[in-house]
Amino acid sequence: MTSRTAGEPLVRLSGVDKWFGQLHVLQDIDLSIDRGEVVVVIGPSGSGKSTLCRTINRLEPIDSGEITIDGQRLPEEGKELARLRADVGMVFQSFNLFAHKTVLENVTLGPVKVRKLSKGDAERRARELLDRVGVGSQADKYPAQLSGGQQQRVAIARALAMDPKVMLFDEPTSALDPEMINEVLDVMTSLARDGMTMVVVTHEMGFARRAANRVVFMDGGRIVESADPETFFTRPTSDRAKDFLSKILTH
Amino acid sequence: MDAVTDNLALFVEGYLTSLRIILVALVGSLALGLVIAMCRVSPVPPLQKFGTFWVTTFRNTPLSVVLFACAFGLPELGINRTFFFFGVLGLVLYTSAFVCEAIRAGINSVPAGQAEAARSIGLNFTQGLRFVVLPQALRTVVPPLGSVVIAMMKNSAVVGAFGVGGDLWSTGATLTSARGYETLPVFVGVAIGYLCITLPAGALLQVIERRVAIAR
């Protein structure tokens, strides 16, 4: 596994609360993620794991508590927030590639408009990244012409093009046909090996075992358990986690 | 149809004046409507409120009242311009509310994930709208926006009636009331004049619709 640099955590959530109307979706969340660490968040649906992931780049604002990234508190809105989001890569369940732009344009838009790279430099780097995730030959197609697995790999390349400090994955394989899941997980595993800091919300237990440094188990808006994968999958301490694992690992 | 053929030069002049009102109002109302739409979808509450106030005001006020306020109200406040200016201003203010709502419908038709993806690569609100959301909204916006634009073209007749003068509608009015021509043939001529504006506009809209539909 990757060596972690000492010092303050890269991402820190402390006392985070969030409500959707009457529903208390995040309850007093404390979570620290070190540089180079891969944290996999699992839990039943409705447990708040996606919301947690989305608060880290403030796609979901929080009601109380504090989130810092690289020591900097998440700004409320405006330019500061945009700058911070540029440093936080996000991969969505439904890919969300820009439908009116080619694969190459999807990957170069951020670098050109936000990082102010020249078009040539951005395209060179985009092609490298597309090759790295295995879709280099699709650069001039539109997203709708690609399979789900290919689209999600383009989405990963789009996020990587911003040279993010941390990558957030919000159920990246949940919308994929079974035979396409592995091609996306392989890319994510290689990213993890290269030392990328990652927060991954997923139902893929194999990926959690293989690539995670830590598994965070959520239920009812709380972090119920947090442990290394080996410990979590073989000796879970909470009844809720035992129950959850017995339901998903038996078949 | 002697009434028309005898006064063809007048009709052509009226046609060109109407066209002038329409072109200025088109640019003005599209630009203003876009700005108001951006206010309404912006994350800043005062801007949202301003946009809603604007649309509520101008969508719910009869065009003739807006024109009256511009042409006769603004001079009372010490603003002195030509009738052409006030007339076009009124038409722009009125139409901008409808343009805004057509554009907003288009923006709402773009899946929320597109704007989220734009934000997550660090684009700010305006960049997200400009590079990601609006280009995709354009596809759905063309038909409703086309109806708004064509309605505006016909509403230019009301502007003419408000003292701009010399446009198609006023030409008809002058010929019938001041020069005693029969009403029916004159206004058939006037109607044909408006058709010569709206029909090509409709055809152009279809071409645009086809263009933006392919561009994806």
Side-chain angles (χ1 to χ4, degrees), chain B residues 15 19 22 153 168 189-202:
Chain B
Y15 177 84
L19 212 54
I22 284 167
M153 291 172 167
L168 262 177
V190 168
I192 290 171
Y194 280 106
L195 283 177
C196 290
I197 297 174
T198 52
L199 288 184

Side-chain angles (χ1 to χ4, degrees), chain A residues 25 114 116 183-184:
Chain A
V25 282
V114 178
K116 308 294 177 197
E183 65 191 48
V184 172

Side-chain angles (χ1 to χ4, degrees), chain B residues 27-115:
Chain B
V27 175
S29 60
L30 287 182
L32 187 57
L34 179 63
V35 172
I36 305 296
M38 287 177 69
C39 288
R40 286 206 76 175
V41 300
S42 86
V44 188
L47 287 181
Q48 291 170 9
K49 288 213 180 78
F50 169 75
T52 311
F53 168 78
W54 187 278
V55 169
T56 310
T57 305
F58 289 108
R59 197 171 56 175
N60 295 309
T61 312
L63 174 59
S64 51
V65 175
V66 176
L67 287 169
F68 207 85
C70 286
F72 304 110
L74 291 180
E76 282 179 4
L77 299 176
I79 302 168
N80 284 305
R81 294 288 168 87
T82 60
F83 267 123
F84 182 87
F85 177 88
F86 286 131
V88 171
L89 176 67
L91 188 56
V92 165
L93 293 177
Y94 177 82
T95 310
S96 69
F98 296 90
V99 169
C100 162
E101 291 302 271
I103 291 178
R104 203 166 63 89
I107 289 173
N108 289 344
S109 76
V110 178
Q114 294 285 314

Side-chain angles (χ1 to χ4, degrees), chain B residues 8-38:
Chain B
L8 203 58
L10 265 181
F11 270 95
V12 170
E13 207 176 296
Y15 177 84
L16 291 176
T17 305
S18 284
L19 212 54
R20 214 154 61 91
I21 296 172
I22 284 167
L23 287 179
V24 179
L26 179 70
V27 175
S29 60
L30 287 182
L32 187 57
L34 179 63
V35 172
I36 305 296
M38 287 177 69

Side-chain angles (χ1 to χ4, degrees), chain A residues 176-191:
Chain A
L176 294 175
D177 289 340
E179 75 265 31
M180 291 169 187
I181 289 177
N182 280 333
E183 65 191 48
V184 172
L185 291 180
D186 287 346
V187 170
M188 291 167 58
T189 308
S190 87
L191 266 183

